[in-house]
Every structure is written in structure tokens, then in C-alpha cells.
Amino acid sequence: GAIALKIWGSLEVALGFDANATMKLFGGLFLLPPLYYLGAKITRRNVALVMDIAAVCCMIGFIGRFSCLVAGCCQGIPIFQNSSVKWPLNEIEMVFCAAFVLFFWQRVYRRKSAGLVCPIMGISYGLLRFILEWFREEYTTVGIFHLAHIWSLLAIVIGAIAIYFIKKNSNRVLNIKHV
């Protein structure tokens, strides 16, 4: 996981973005699922289950963003004009990730998730980050958007496409069984 974060941060720097404002966390969101998918295929494991376990583990890793709290990066903008009180964005994100894990871990453990947890993670985390980015001090922008807005939209789109194909394939399997 940590290697994926470093690779993502390096990619952003190579693309010309500020090294101090990279969105390394998205490395876990974009790089780990394909690796887990390949690992499941190579080892002939249940891909849906592996992906769902990976999603829960990824969110557990996102809870551990204590380095952002300690370093003081990724801070929110002041809640009120001329106020020193800022939006607690890191804390909101950590609570969201903890709630996600608490909600989905039993479903995955009981194998009632059908491979949907990973794309749901992408969509829900993408939506959360897209909203939170409007309240974050950010220096890396692409037009009116922060860099994380772009990555968030990409996560939402990839998650939606994955759900479409999971549902499409599950309907095809169900139809074959009923014939």
C-alpha cells in the first residue's frame, strides 16, 4: 500500500504538479485494486471476494492518515471569515472511512457483498473527497478544480463502470442458471 502511495505521488510530480501537494492517497484507490485483481486471477481466488477484502483494507489504511494530522497538511479553510477555526477535513475523512469499514466488513466476511464493495468504495470516497475539496486549502489546481477533484471524478466514474459490469455479468450468470 505504501509503495502505491509513493508511486502515485511520483507520477504526479512527473506530470509537473507540486511535490508538496500531491494526492498520494489516490494511489491506494487507483493502483491497489488492479494489483489485487491480478493477484486473484493468478492465484485462482474468488475475484469478487478478494476485491471486497482489498476495499475494506484500503479504507482501514485511509483511517490511518495520522501523518496528515501531525504534519498539519491538508487543512480546511477557515469556517468563518477572519477565523482561526478551520474545517476539520482530515477528521471528517477518517470518520467516513471508519464508518465504511464498520458498515462493510461483516458483509464481506459473510460473503454477501458480491464484489460491489470495491466500486462502492471508489464512488463514495470520490464523492466525499469531491465535496471536501471545496473546503480544503489547496495549491495544485487545474482550472477551477483542485487536483483531487479530478481524481475524485475519475474514482466515481471507474466505480460506476465497475458496478455496471458486475451487475451485467451477474445477470448473465443468473440467466444461464435458469435456462
Side-chain angles (χ1 to χ4, degrees):
I3 293 170
L5 303 182
K6 290 288 186 189
I7 291 170
W8 193 261
S10 298
L11 282 172
E12 287 182 343
V13 170
L15 291 172
F17 295 110
D18 182 4
N20 295 321
T22 60
M23 306 294 130
K24 294 180 194 102
L25 203 59
F26 282 100
L29 195 64
F30 292 130
L31 299 179
L32 290 179
L35 293 175
Y36 280 108
Y37 178 84
L38 287 173
K41 285 295 202 179
I42 291 169
T43 60
R44 296 184 179 148
R45 304 245 189 259
N46 179 331
V47 173
L49 181 60
V50 168
M51 297 303 289
D52 287 345
I53 291 170
V56 171
C57 292
C58 193
M59 291 303 261
I60 289 171
F62 287 2
I63 295 169
R65 292 189 59 194
F66 295 111
S67 61
C68 290
L69 292 173
V70 173
C73 64
C74 309
Q75 292 190 5
I77 58 175
I79 293 176
F80 303 107
Q81 193 172 18
N82 300 325
S83 170
S84 63
V85 179
K86 297 183 178 193
W87 287 99
L89 303 180
N90 289 328
E91 293 81 358
I92 291 169
E93 203 170 326
M94 292 167 92
V95 167
F96 169 81
C97 293
F100 185 96
V101 169
L102 290 173
F103 184 80
F104 281 110
W105 78 269
Q106 279 194 319
R107 287 169 178 74
V108 173
Y109 180 76
R110 293 183 180 152
R111 298 181 184 210
K112 295 184 178 185
S113 52
L116 293 171
V117 176
C118 193
I120 290 171
M121 174 191 70
I123 293 169
S124 62
Y125 186 74
L127 284 169
L128 175 76
R129 282 296 295 264
F130 189 85
I131 293 167
L132 291 182
E133 288 307 310
W134 295 114
F135 300 96
R136 191 180 305 276
E137 289 180 346
E138 180 62 55
Y139 308 103
T140 305
T141 59
V142 180
I144 63 167
F145 295 107
H146 298 164
L147 182 57
H149 280 125
I150 307 302
W151 299 143
S152 296
L153 289 174
L154 185 61
I156 293 165
V157 169
I158 291 171
I161 291 170
I163 286 175
Y164 169 78
F165 282 109
I166 290 168
K167 291 290 189 179
K168 181 179 174 184
N169 288 336
S170 68
N171 288 338
R172 185 179 52 174
V173 170
L174 292 173
N175 290 335
I176 292 171
K177 288 182 179 178
H178 291 298
V179 172

Short mmCIF file of all heavy atoms in Angstrom, two decimals, residues 25 71 74 148-149 160:
data_model
loop_
_atom_site.label_atom_id
_atom_site.label_comp_id
_atom_site.label_asym_id
_atom_site.label_seq_id
_atom_site.Cartn_x
_atom_site.Cartn_y
_atom_site.Cartn_z
N LEU A 25 -2.77 9.63 -1.61
CA LEU A 25 -3.78 8.70 -1.13
C LEU A 25 -4.54 8.04 -2.27
O LEU A 25 -4.96 6.90 -2.16
CB LEU A 25 -4.75 9.44 -0.21
CG LEU A 25 -5.51 8.60 0.78
CD1 LEU A 25 -4.56 7.87 1.71
CD2 LEU A 25 -6.43 9.47 1.60
N ALA A 71 1.47 16.41 10.52
CA ALA A 71 2.18 17.35 9.66
C ALA A 71 1.42 18.65 9.47
O ALA A 71 2.00 19.67 9.12
CB ALA A 71 2.46 16.71 8.30
N CYS A 74 -3.10 19.34 4.39
CA CYS A 74 -4.48 19.00 4.00
C CYS A 74 -5.50 19.69 4.90
O CYS A 74 -6.53 19.11 5.25
CB CYS A 74 -4.71 17.50 4.03
SG CYS A 74 -3.49 16.55 3.11
N ALA A 148 -7.36 17.02 -6.63
CA ALA A 148 -8.15 15.95 -6.03
C ALA A 148 -9.57 15.90 -6.60
O ALA A 148 -10.20 14.85 -6.58
CB ALA A 148 -8.19 16.09 -4.52
N HIS A 149 -10.10 17.03 -7.09
CA HIS A 149 -11.41 16.99 -7.76
C HIS A 149 -11.34 16.07 -8.98
O HIS A 149 -12.26 15.28 -9.22
CB HIS A 149 -11.83 18.39 -8.22
CG HIS A 149 -12.40 19.23 -7.14
ND1 HIS A 149 -11.89 20.47 -6.85
CD2 HIS A 149 -13.44 19.04 -6.30
CE1 HIS A 149 -12.59 21.00 -5.87
NE2 HIS A 149 -13.52 20.14 -5.51
N ALA A 160 -18.52 3.47 -11.01
CA ALA A 160 -19.80 3.28 -11.69
C ALA A 160 -19.68 2.27 -12.83
O ALA A 160 -20.56 1.41 -13.01
CB ALA A 160 -20.33 4.62 -12.20
#
